[in-house]
Amino acid sequence: MTTAHNTTPQYPFTAVVGMDDLRLALLLNAVSPAVGGVLVRGEKGTAKSTAVRALSALMPHVDVVGGCRFACAPDAPDPGCPDGPHETGAVEDRPTRMVELPVGASEDRLVGALDIERALSEGVKAFEPGLLADAHRGILYVDEVNLLHDHLVDLLLDAAAMGASYVEREGVSVRHAARFLLVGTMNPEEGELRPQLLDRFGLTVEVAASREPDQRVSVVRRRLAYDADPAGFAARWAAEEDELRHRIAAARELLPEVTLGDAALRQIAATCAAFEVDGMRADIVMARTATALAAWAGRTDVLEEDVRQAALLALPHRRRRNPFDAPGLDEDKLDQTLEEFGADQNADGDDDPDPDGPDGGPDGGGPDGGGQSPQDGGPQESPHTESPELPHQQEREAPQAPEGPEAPEAPERQEQPAAPEQSQEGAPGAGGQKAAVGATEPFRTRRLDVPGLGEGADGRRSRARTAHGRTTGARRPHGALGKLHLAATVQAAAPHQRARGRSGRGLVVRRDDLREAVREGREGNLVLFVVDASGSMAARKRMSAVKGAVLSLLLDAYQRRDKIGMITFRGTGAELALPPTSSVEAGAARLEQLPTGGRTPLSEGLLRAHEVLRVERMRDASRRPLLVVVTDGRATGGPEPVGRAARAARLLAGEGTASVVVDCEAGPVRLGLAGELARELQGTAITLDELRADSVSALVRTVQGNRKAA
């Protein structure tokens, strides 16, 4: 659940090794919550959650009105507080709360719930606060924020932007203050946030495990020391924690006195314009971040180094134009822009704008204070832990994309001329293998959906019963009441009013009368691609077009909130190139590296798809699959290849798997094998041209289908 009340001491913030950008971003938000929160992106096992939880112990205590469930400040209570109006009385001093939002939380758990039955029968606004109320004047931490349902992310970010939460149910509304420091963590391998949601986070930090052996040794030693004696370990870092806590308080006091000069503001505007970020939020966030950086350094004026650091934290995630773009910032271009627009920044004659020296603070030291000893986990020596306020003076590793096969590829690589085809020795029986070719430009595709009505997670592909959408009927609630269907509730209660002794104007409503709305919207599906990479697909222009089509379908799956998987088949077998995931970047990377050559084991690809779908059905029975087979329909290799492929197709069809065959056959003479495969799958066959949303052939085919139906 929610608020962190734990007798075990948190791992100390100052004991975190490295992670300079992450620590700095968190501290800047502690100094100025108006910065807008932090999104931490990084691979698993990089101490993202540890650092966030450790921050809560550094935050100053808050005074709240005694008994108020919404943490109103005694000197300035919220005039619209549901527990108000507040009278002068007891004041509680309590630590800053850190509230965790689970991935599976409901909307009522996030924003709170109204007792509709009492509201209808008694006219009472009985409101049960949610996590947004608990987090007011504290920290709201969302682990795996990219896996949170989109409508919950919208509610969360709206509350963070407005500083208030609104709950409305059938004309009954409640509003309460909700100002908090928002921190989200995510593993990009599991899928990205939409660009418009990324933009709502003030700062974004990329984290990756250090490749430096000595630093990794320090991490392990400190973690083992903490696990062996949490209280003793925390005590050894108490002095450094106190020092950092006082520095945060001092920076908060100094913040209102910091001046953002015209020169610095011009640099901010020029930088945002140079990097072509959308809207004006980036400029505002950069201004607030640069101001917080100056206060953190103990200064009252914003310098060019503050603007540079603010850009590195606030802009990379705002430059993504599609899910295949890797976040990042060209630092050479940044330096050129700052130099071009900062020539007169010190025109007032201040030749030394930072009197406190290169450490950026009056004490010249970082929040870690003294040294740290990796041997005993104590604060004695610290050769590997740097001050978090000085990442701009170090080699910047954090903003780079994580290394490894899961790292997202920059889209520019798709535009490079493909290497000349070279025959290589493939796997046994696979025949010749040709080097991978690049994909053509992606395009907007037709919507491919699963027939029928599902009940899967909210998305934008197939029809489904969902919590959001158009109302199609009413039913008795199963468990807690969802969205009330007012007309059906009144209709159910009306015949019993005389028997219930109704005498006044109010309606006598019982629990059994309540009806909830049945809604129909769209769900996200599991889109499993089965891609033919055999020799019959190896013509360079043809495979480039196929890859471009699959890339377009991947982009469509991202926009429709699907999970994706990819199977490739060539030679003598099939390979699960990408297990089902929400990360379309990983799919694009696998597709780019896909070689071609050898025979066409179509049956192996279909049988592998059957096995993957069987496993996924056990994991999530409500998420319906859509099988997309990209092939020319040929089946070669092995005994009875055509008949075995037909039997595999009928096996998938017998389990009700919705399927689409993208026919990649080219040339003036066509065999129509892909169409035969689609009939065996009881699915649909479309050509590469018909896959385009704006293709003339697709439009003609749709019109003809409508005429036949009429």
Side-chain angles (χ1 to χ4, degrees), residues 298-323:
R299 291 184 267 100
T300 57
D301 53 341
V302 175
L303 306 181
E304 181 176 311
E305 64 189 70
D306 300 323
V307 176
R308 185 182 193 278
Q309 183 62 59
L312 292 171
L313 292 173
L315 295 188
H317 63 295
R318 292 185 164 88
R319 300 195 63 243
R320 290 171 61 93
R321 291 296 183 269
N322 66 63

PDB file of all heavy atoms in Angstrom, residues 298-323:
ATOM      1  N   GLY A 298      24.210  27.686  -3.036  1.00  0.00           N
ATOM      2  CA  GLY A 298      24.383  28.778  -2.090  1.00  0.00           C
ATOM      3  C   GLY A 298      24.514  30.133  -2.738  1.00  0.00           C
ATOM      4  O   GLY A 298      25.048  31.065  -2.132  1.00  0.00           O
ATOM      5  N   ARG A 299      24.033  30.273  -3.981  1.00  0.00           N
ATOM      6  CA  ARG A 299      24.135  31.540  -4.694  1.00  0.00           C
ATOM      7  C   ARG A 299      22.759  32.153  -4.883  1.00  0.00           C
ATOM      8  O   ARG A 299      21.749  31.463  -4.812  1.00  0.00           O
ATOM      9  CB  ARG A 299      24.776  31.326  -6.071  1.00  0.00           C
ATOM     10  CG  ARG A 299      26.234  30.945  -6.025  1.00  0.00           C
ATOM     11  CD  ARG A 299      26.809  30.839  -7.445  1.00  0.00           C
ATOM     12  NE  ARG A 299      26.756  29.481  -7.979  1.00  0.00           N
ATOM     13  CZ  ARG A 299      25.848  29.048  -8.819  1.00  0.00           C
ATOM     14  NH1 ARG A 299      24.880  29.867  -9.233  1.00  0.00           N
ATOM     15  NH2 ARG A 299      25.858  27.811  -9.262  1.00  0.00           N
ATOM     16  N   THR A 300      22.744  33.450  -5.176  1.00  0.00           N
ATOM     17  CA  THR A 300      21.482  34.146  -5.455  1.00  0.00           C
ATOM     18  C   THR A 300      21.366  34.561  -6.912  1.00  0.00           C
ATOM     19  O   THR A 300      20.433  35.268  -7.282  1.00  0.00           O
ATOM     20  CB  THR A 300      21.350  35.397  -4.570  1.00  0.00           C
ATOM     21  OG1 THR A 300      22.470  36.258  -4.784  1.00  0.00           O
ATOM     22  CG2 THR A 300      21.269  35.011  -3.098  1.00  0.00           C
ATOM     23  N   ASP A 301      22.330  34.148  -7.752  1.00  0.00           N
ATOM     24  CA  ASP A 301      22.244  34.450  -9.172  1.00  0.00           C
ATOM     25  C   ASP A 301      22.425  33.160  -9.954  1.00  0.00           C
ATOM     26  O   ASP A 301      23.149  32.259  -9.553  1.00  0.00           O
ATOM     27  CB  ASP A 301      23.295  35.486  -9.601  1.00  0.00           C
ATOM     28  CG  ASP A 301      24.713  35.082  -9.194  1.00  0.00           C
ATOM     29  OD1 ASP A 301      24.843  34.230  -8.293  1.00  0.00           O
ATOM     30  OD2 ASP A 301      25.671  35.601  -9.792  1.00  0.00           O
ATOM     31  N   VAL A 302      21.746  33.078 -11.096  1.00  0.00           N
ATOM     32  CA  VAL A 302      21.800  31.897 -11.955  1.00  0.00           C
ATOM     33  C   VAL A 302      22.908  32.078 -12.981  1.00  0.00           C
ATOM     34  O   VAL A 302      22.949  33.080 -13.695  1.00  0.00           O
ATOM     35  CB  VAL A 302      20.448  31.676 -12.664  1.00  0.00           C
ATOM     36  CG1 VAL A 302      20.542  30.524 -13.652  1.00  0.00           C
ATOM     37  CG2 VAL A 302      19.357  31.411 -11.642  1.00  0.00           C
ATOM     38  N   LEU A 303      23.796  31.084 -13.074  1.00  0.00           N
ATOM     39  CA  LEU A 303      24.932  31.146 -13.981  1.00  0.00           C
ATOM     40  C   LEU A 303      24.718  30.227 -15.176  1.00  0.00           C
ATOM     41  O   LEU A 303      23.796  29.415 -15.217  1.00  0.00           O
ATOM     42  CB  LEU A 303      26.212  30.745 -13.244  1.00  0.00           C
ATOM     43  CG  LEU A 303      26.526  31.503 -11.953  1.00  0.00           C
ATOM     44  CD1 LEU A 303      27.826  31.005 -11.361  1.00  0.00           C
ATOM     45  CD2 LEU A 303      26.587  33.009 -12.217  1.00  0.00           C
ATOM     46  N   GLU A 304      25.628  30.357 -16.145  1.00  0.00           N
ATOM     47  CA  GLU A 304      25.535  29.525 -17.343  1.00  0.00           C
ATOM     48  C   GLU A 304      25.636  28.045 -17.000  1.00  0.00           C
ATOM     49  O   GLU A 304      24.969  27.208 -17.615  1.00  0.00           O
ATOM     50  CB  GLU A 304      26.644  29.911 -18.323  1.00  0.00           C
ATOM     51  CG  GLU A 304      26.614  29.098 -19.614  1.00  0.00           C
ATOM     52  CD  GLU A 304      27.655  29.557 -20.613  1.00  0.00           C
ATOM     53  OE1 GLU A 304      27.741  30.779 -20.860  1.00  0.00           O
ATOM     54  OE2 GLU A 304      28.388  28.682 -21.132  1.00  0.00           O
ATOM     55  N   GLU A 305      26.459  27.693 -16.030  1.00  0.00           N
ATOM     56  CA  GLU A 305      26.587  26.279 -15.657  1.00  0.00           C
ATOM     57  C   GLU A 305      25.273  25.733 -15.099  1.00  0.00           C
ATOM     58  O   GLU A 305      24.957  24.545 -15.258  1.00  0.00           O
ATOM     59  CB  GLU A 305      27.704  26.101 -14.635  1.00  0.00           C
ATOM     60  CG  GLU A 305      27.442  26.794 -13.300  1.00  0.00           C
ATOM     61  CD  GLU A 305      28.665  26.766 -12.402  1.00  0.00           C
ATOM     62  OE1 GLU A 305      29.649  27.466 -12.714  1.00  0.00           O
ATOM     63  OE2 GLU A 305      28.626  26.043 -11.397  1.00  0.00           O
ATOM     64  N   ASP A 306      24.484  26.590 -14.450  1.00  0.00           N
ATOM     65  CA  ASP A 306      23.167  26.156 -13.966  1.00  0.00           C
ATOM     66  C   ASP A 306      22.227  25.887 -15.133  1.00  0.00           C
ATOM     67  O   ASP A 306      21.471  24.906 -15.121  1.00  0.00           O
ATOM     68  CB  ASP A 306      22.556  27.221 -13.050  1.00  0.00           C
ATOM     69  CG  ASP A 306      23.416  27.509 -11.832  1.00  0.00           C
ATOM     70  OD1 ASP A 306      24.013  26.559 -11.293  1.00  0.00           O
ATOM     71  OD2 ASP A 306      23.482  28.681 -11.433  1.00  0.00           O
ATOM     72  N   VAL A 307      22.275  26.757 -16.127  1.00  0.00           N
ATOM     73  CA  VAL A 307      21.428  26.573 -17.308  1.00  0.00           C
ATOM     74  C   VAL A 307      21.817  25.295 -18.042  1.00  0.00           C
ATOM     75  O   VAL A 307      20.954  24.524 -18.489  1.00  0.00           O
ATOM     76  CB  VAL A 307      21.533  27.791 -18.246  1.00  0.00           C
ATOM     77  CG1 VAL A 307      20.734  27.561 -19.520  1.00  0.00           C
ATOM     78  CG2 VAL A 307      21.048  29.051 -17.539  1.00  0.00           C
ATOM     79  N   ARG A 308      23.109  25.040 -18.167  1.00  0.00           N
ATOM     80  CA  ARG A 308      23.577  23.836 -18.855  1.00  0.00           C
ATOM     81  C   ARG A 308      23.104  22.577 -18.130  1.00  0.00           C
ATOM     82  O   ARG A 308      22.596  21.634 -18.739  1.00  0.00           O
ATOM     83  CB  ARG A 308      25.098  23.842 -18.948  1.00  0.00           C
ATOM     84  CG  ARG A 308      25.668  22.691 -19.766  1.00  0.00           C
ATOM     85  CD  ARG A 308      27.199  22.715 -19.777  1.00  0.00           C
ATOM     86  NE  ARG A 308      27.716  21.819 -20.797  1.00  0.00           N
ATOM     87  CZ  ARG A 308      27.862  20.515 -20.648  1.00  0.00           C
ATOM     88  NH1 ARG A 308      27.502  19.952 -19.491  1.00  0.00           N
ATOM     89  NH2 ARG A 308      28.343  19.764 -21.620  1.00  0.00           N
ATOM     90  N   GLN A 309      23.284  22.561 -16.815  1.00  0.00           N
ATOM     91  CA  GLN A 309      22.862  21.396 -16.042  1.00  0.00           C
ATOM     92  C   GLN A 309      21.343  21.220 -16.103  1.00  0.00           C
ATOM     93  O   GLN A 309      20.834  20.097 -16.200  1.00  0.00           O
ATOM     94  CB  GLN A 309      23.304  21.546 -14.592  1.00  0.00           C
ATOM     95  CG  GLN A 309      22.980  20.346 -13.703  1.00  0.00           C
ATOM     96  CD  GLN A 309      23.676  19.089 -14.169  1.00  0.00           C
ATOM     97  OE1 GLN A 309      24.893  19.041 -14.254  1.00  0.00           O
ATOM     98  NE2 GLN A 309      22.899  18.078 -14.500  1.00  0.00           N
ATOM     99  N   ALA A 310      20.621  22.322 -16.059  1.00  0.00           N
ATOM    100  CA  ALA A 310      19.163  22.243 -16.155  1.00  0.00           C
ATOM    101  C   ALA A 310      18.734  21.650 -17.490  1.00  0.00           C
ATOM    102  O   ALA A 310      17.795  20.850 -17.560  1.00  0.00           O
ATOM    103  CB  ALA A 310      18.551  23.634 -15.969  1.00  0.00           C
ATOM    104  N   ALA A 311      19.426  22.023 -18.571  1.00  0.00           N
ATOM    105  CA  ALA A 311      19.093  21.474 -19.887  1.00  0.00           C
ATOM    106  C   ALA A 311      19.336  19.972 -19.936  1.00  0.00           C
ATOM    107  O   ALA A 311      18.539  19.215 -20.503  1.00  0.00           O
ATOM    108  CB  ALA A 311      19.916  22.179 -20.966  1.00  0.00           C
ATOM    109  N   LEU A 312      20.424  19.511 -19.346  1.00  0.00           N
ATOM    110  CA  LEU A 312      20.747  18.088 -19.373  1.00  0.00           C
ATOM    111  C   LEU A 312      19.742  17.255 -18.584  1.00  0.00           C
ATOM    112  O   LEU A 312      19.560  16.065 -18.863  1.00  0.00           O
ATOM    113  CB  LEU A 312      22.151  17.867 -18.807  1.00  0.00           C
ATOM    114  CG  LEU A 312      23.294  18.425 -19.668  1.00  0.00           C
ATOM    115  CD1 LEU A 312      24.618  18.341 -18.925  1.00  0.00           C
ATOM    116  CD2 LEU A 312      23.379  17.672 -20.983  1.00  0.00           C
ATOM    117  N   LEU A 313      19.080  17.861 -17.624  1.00  0.00           N
ATOM    118  CA  LEU A 313      18.092  17.138 -16.827  1.00  0.00           C
ATOM    119  C   LEU A 313      16.673  17.291 -17.365  1.00  0.00           C
ATOM    120  O   LEU A 313      15.850  16.385 -17.206  1.00  0.00           O
ATOM    121  CB  LEU A 313      18.133  17.637 -15.377  1.00  0.00           C
ATOM    122  CG  LEU A 313      19.389  17.311 -14.570  1.00  0.00           C
ATOM    123  CD1 LEU A 313      19.354  18.031 -13.218  1.00  0.00           C
ATOM    124  CD2 LEU A 313      19.539  15.815 -14.365  1.00  0.00           C
ATOM    125  N   ALA A 314      16.376  18.422 -17.998  1.00  0.00           N
ATOM    126  CA  ALA A 314      14.987  18.731 -18.356  1.00  0.00           C
ATOM    127  C   ALA A 314      14.637  18.488 -19.818  1.00  0.00           C
ATOM    128  O   ALA A 314      13.450  18.403 -20.150  1.00  0.00           O
ATOM    129  CB  ALA A 314      14.680  20.197 -18.014  1.00  0.00           C
ATOM    130  N   LEU A 315      15.628  18.371 -20.710  1.00  0.00           N
ATOM    131  CA  LEU A 315      15.314  18.323 -22.136  1.00  0.00           C
ATOM    132  C   LEU A 315      15.379  16.953 -22.811  1.00  0.00           C
ATOM    133  O   LEU A 315      14.630  16.730 -23.771  1.00  0.00           O
ATOM    134  CB  LEU A 315      16.241  19.281 -22.906  1.00  0.00           C
ATOM    135  CG  LEU A 315      16.088  20.776 -22.605  1.00  0.00           C
ATOM    136  CD1 LEU A 315      16.920  21.586 -23.586  1.00  0.00           C
ATOM    137  CD2 LEU A 315      14.637  21.207 -22.656  1.00  0.00           C
ATOM    138  N   PRO A 316      16.251  16.036 -22.403  1.00  0.00           N
ATOM    139  CA  PRO A 316      16.395  14.806 -23.207  1.00  0.00           C
ATOM    140  C   PRO A 316      15.094  14.078 -23.475  1.00  0.00           C
ATOM    141  O   PRO A 316      14.836  13.659 -24.609  1.00  0.00           O
ATOM    142  CB  PRO A 316      17.359  13.953 -22.355  1.00  0.00           C
ATOM    143  CG  PRO A 316      18.174  14.950 -21.616  1.00  0.00           C
ATOM    144  CD  PRO A 316      17.229  16.068 -21.298  1.00  0.00           C
ATOM    145  N   HIS A 317      14.242  13.917 -22.472  1.00  0.00           N
ATOM    146  CA  HIS A 317      13.007  13.158 -22.681  1.00  0.00           C
ATOM    147  C   HIS A 317      11.961  13.941 -23.455  1.00  0.00           C
ATOM    148  O   HIS A 317      10.961  13.365 -23.893  1.00  0.00           O
ATOM    149  CB  HIS A 317      12.430  12.715 -21.338  1.00  0.00           C
ATOM    150  CG  HIS A 317      12.022  13.829 -20.434  1.00  0.00           C
ATOM    151  ND1 HIS A 317      12.925  14.716 -19.900  1.00  0.00           N
ATOM    152  CD2 HIS A 317      10.808  14.212 -19.954  1.00  0.00           C
ATOM    153  CE1 HIS A 317      12.290  15.589 -19.138  1.00  0.00           C
ATOM    154  NE2 HIS A 317      11.002  15.305 -19.152  1.00  0.00           N
ATOM    155  N   ARG A 318      12.162  15.232 -23.629  1.00  0.00           N
ATOM    156  CA  ARG A 318      11.202  16.043 -24.372  1.00  0.00           C
ATOM    157  C   ARG A 318      11.525  16.111 -25.858  1.00  0.00           C
ATOM    158  O   ARG A 318      10.809  16.759 -26.613  1.00  0.00           O
ATOM    159  CB  ARG A 318      11.152  17.457 -23.792  1.00  0.00           C
ATOM    160  CG  ARG A 318      10.554  17.496 -22.392  1.00  0.00           C
ATOM    161  CD  ARG A 318      10.394  18.910 -21.871  1.00  0.00           C
ATOM    162  NE  ARG A 318       9.502  18.934 -20.742  1.00  0.00           N
ATOM    163  CZ  ARG A 318       9.871  18.758 -19.476  1.00  0.00           C
ATOM    164  NH1 ARG A 318      11.155  18.569 -19.202  1.00  0.00           N
ATOM    165  NH2 ARG A 318       8.990  18.778 -18.500  1.00  0.00           N
ATOM    166  N   ARG A 319      12.609  15.460 -26.282  1.00  0.00           N
ATOM    167  CA  ARG A 319      12.986  15.497 -27.687  1.00  0.00           C
ATOM    168  C   ARG A 319      12.540  14.257 -28.438  1.00  0.00           C
ATOM    169  O   ARG A 319      12.769  14.120 -29.632  1.00  0.00           O
ATOM    170  CB  ARG A 319      14.513  15.641 -27.817  1.00  0.00           C
ATOM    171  CG  ARG A 319      15.057  16.902 -27.177  1.00  0.00           C
ATOM    172  CD  ARG A 319      16.471  17.173 -27.645  1.00  0.00           C
ATOM    173  NE  ARG A 319      16.523  17.411 -29.072  1.00  0.00           N
ATOM    174  CZ  ARG A 319      17.177  16.626 -29.933  1.00  0.00           C
ATOM    175  NH1 ARG A 319      17.794  15.551 -29.516  1.00  0.00           N
ATOM    176  NH2 ARG A 319      17.198  16.915 -31.220  1.00  0.00           N
ATOM    177  N   ARG A 320      11.886  13.315 -27.779  1.00  0.00           N
ATOM    178  CA  ARG A 320      11.418  12.098 -28.443  1.00  0.00           C
ATOM    179  C   ARG A 320      10.238  12.421 -29.352  1.00  0.00           C
ATOM    180  O   ARG A 320       9.250  12.996 -28.917  1.00  0.00           O
ATOM    181  CB  ARG A 320      10.999  11.053 -27.409  1.00  0.00           C
ATOM    182  CG  ARG A 320      12.155  10.475 -26.633  1.00  0.00           C
ATOM    183  CD  ARG A 320      11.649   9.626 -25.489  1.00  0.00           C
ATOM    184  NE  ARG A 320      10.847   8.511 -25.949  1.00  0.00           N
ATOM    185  CZ  ARG A 320      11.307   7.302 -26.204  1.00  0.00           C
ATOM    186  NH1 ARG A 320      12.582   7.050 -26.044  1.00  0.00           N
ATOM    187  NH2 ARG A 320      10.515   6.336 -26.597  1.00  0.00           N
ATOM    188  N   ARG A 321      10.350  12.027 -30.619  1.00  0.00           N
ATOM    189  CA  ARG A 321       9.258  12.238 -31.560  1.00  0.00           C
ATOM    190  C   ARG A 321       8.473  10.947 -31.817  1.00  0.00           C
ATOM    191  O   ARG A 321       7.341  10.980 -32.234  1.00  0.00           O
ATOM    192  CB  ARG A 321       9.806  12.771 -32.893  1.00  0.00           C
ATOM    193  CG  ARG A 321      10.350  14.189 -32.788  1.00  0.00           C
ATOM    194  CD  ARG A 321       9.231  15.166 -32.431  1.00  0.00           C
ATOM    195  NE  ARG A 321       9.707  16.531 -32.398  1.00  0.00           N
ATOM    196  CZ  ARG A 321      10.169  17.124 -31.312  1.00  0.00           C
ATOM    197  NH1 ARG A 321      10.217  16.469 -30.172  1.00  0.00           N
ATOM    198  NH2 ARG A 321      10.580  18.377 -31.348  1.00  0.00           N
ATOM    199  N   ASN A 322       9.109   9.803 -31.613  1.00  0.00           N
ATOM    200  CA  ASN A 322       8.414   8.527 -31.741  1.00  0.00           C
ATOM    201  C   ASN A 322       9.079   7.541 -30.800  1.00  0.00           C
ATOM    202  O   ASN A 322      10.167   7.798 -30.284  1.00  0.00           O
ATOM    203  CB  ASN A 322       8.412   8.038 -33.202  1.00  0.00           C
ATOM    204  CG  ASN A 322       9.813   7.690 -33.688  1.00  0.00           C
ATOM    205  OD1 ASN A 322      10.452   6.786 -33.158  1.00  0.00           O
ATOM    206  ND2 ASN A 322      10.291   8.401 -34.706  1.00  0.00           N
ATOM    207  N   PRO A 323       8.451   6.385 -30.538  1.00  0.00           N
ATOM    208  CA  PRO A 323       8.973   5.473 -29.526  1.00  0.00           C
ATOM    209  C   PRO A 323      10.310   4.849 -29.876  1.00  0.00           C
ATOM    210  O   PRO A 323      10.940   4.231 -29.022  1.00  0.00           O
ATOM    211  CB  PRO A 323       7.885   4.392 -29.429  1.00  0.00           C
ATOM    212  CG  PRO A 323       7.148   4.474 -30.706  1.00  0.00           C
ATOM    213  CD  PRO A 323       7.185   5.909 -31.105  1.00  0.00           C
TER     214      PRO A 323
END
